[in-house]
Amino acid sequence: MATIQVDIVSAEQEIFSGEAEMVFAPAVLGEVGIAPGHTPLVTALAPGEVRVQQKNGEEAGFYVSGGMLEVQPEVVTVLSDTAMRAEDLDEAAVLKAKEEAEQQLHDRDAQIEYATALAQNAEAVAQLQAIRRMRQRNGRG
């Protein structure tokens, strides 16, 4: 089967570089699937999980905080301020961040930036989804 080169890069480092049979990414208007030979595309990403189906049949998951996706016929590039392997996410810390963001959204007396609290909550939810999908892939769901 044909493959496509995938590069996932955060502001700090390269997270993944390798061949894939298929890539799924959380574009702002909905999830997109990219196969080898895909039409060129540039789109913004929402917080969520990028899934990479590798040649060996395994699927790897990566959390991205948003960013940009560039697709060329032979290369997919994901650029994100924050990107990490799903297995590197700390579920307890994510749950705490989600709880704090929800508390800020419900606390009418708090001096918060509503949009910031919404963004923090969306990131936490996306991280939790990445953790849960990783568990399902590994048979621990």
Side-chain angles (χ1 to χ4, degrees):
M1 177 174 236
T3 61
I4 190 166
Q5 175 65 32
V6 180
D7 296 312
I8 301 174
V9 182
S10 75
E12 296 87 30
Q13 64 185 341
E14 181 177 82
I15 305 299
F16 176 84
S17 182
E19 296 290 315
E21 293 179 348
M22 193 75 180
V23 179
F24 299 93
V28 291
L29 295 177
E31 185 173 65
V32 294
I34 299 116
H38 193 285
T39 302
L41 167 74
V42 174
T43 188
L45 292 173
E49 183 183 27
V50 173
R51 298 182 343 261
V52 178
Q53 289 181 345
Q54 299 171 305
K55 293 188 303 187
N56 60 8
E58 292 184 20
E59 187 173 287
F62 304 89
Y63 167 76
V64 294
S65 61
M68 295 300 295
L69 171 74
E70 178 184 23
V71 178
Q72 294 297 323
E74 296 179 16
V75 180
V76 173
T77 305
V78 174
L79 303 171
S80 181
D81 285 341
T82 303
M84 58 184 49
R85 293 180 179 278
E87 61 261 18
D88 292 340
L89 292 170
D90 179 348
E91 185 172 15
V94 171
L95 285 169
K96 183 176 182 198
K98 181 179 182 293
E99 186 177 297
E100 288 173 1
E102 288 174 346
Q103 181 64 34
Q104 288 179 349
L105 289 170
H106 290 97
D107 186 356
R108 300 280 185 224
D109 296 329
Q111 300 271 335
I112 64 154
E113 176 69 36
Y114 190 75
T116 300
L118 277 176
Q120 290 169 342
N121 189 51
E123 282 195 31
V125 168
Q127 289 176 357
L128 287 172
Q129 289 173 340
I131 290 169
R132 290 181 182 130
R133 281 188 176 158
M134 179 206 49
R135 286 188 178 148
Q136 288 175 340
R137 281 192 298 272
N138 295 334
R140 295 182 285 159

